[in-house]
Amino acid sequence: MAQIIKFLAVVALIGSIAWLVSAPGFEPALALVGSMASLVSAFVVEKRSKQHARQQQSVSKSSMGIQAGGDVSIGDINTDKHAK
């Protein structure tokens, strides 16, 4: 998905450059600035998401820690299956 966003941002940047060259003015200049900002932000957001992907966990001696990359469902480990 990120690759598609980067590709579209590059296409928008090329289009806004072509628009600015063919018809210099205020609107094409704003389009150029906006497309440059979207391209830069696509790379910054990707870099930040890679940095936040690391997980850390501290567990005391009498605790159990579970760490996963997504949703985790934990049941009661002290439940007797035969108790009524």
Side-chain angles (χ1 to χ4, degrees):
M1 183 67 168
Q3 298 298 332
I4 294 171
I5 293 172
K6 290 178 187 176
F7 175 74
L8 292 175
V10 168
V11 169
L13 180 63
I14 292 169
S16 61
I17 290 171
W19 186 22
L20 185 63
V21 169
S22 68
F26 183 69
E27 289 179 356
L30 283 178
L32 178 66
V33 170
S35 61
M36 284 176 33
S38 65
L39 183 61
V40 169
S41 66
F43 283 100
V44 169
V45 167
E46 183 183 34
K47 184 177 178 182
R48 283 187 182 173
S49 65
K50 285 182 182 179
Q51 289 176 349
H52 291 287
R54 293 181 283 146
Q55 295 180 350
Q56 294 181 356
Q57 184 177 29
S58 297
V59 179
S60 67
K61 293 180 182 178
S62 63
S63 299
M64 177 176 51
I66 297 177
Q67 189 170 9
D71 294 337
V72 177
S73 177
I74 302 172
D76 188 1
I77 61 172
N78 295 324
T79 303
D80 186 8
K81 294 179 182 179
H82 302 290
K84 293 184 181 183

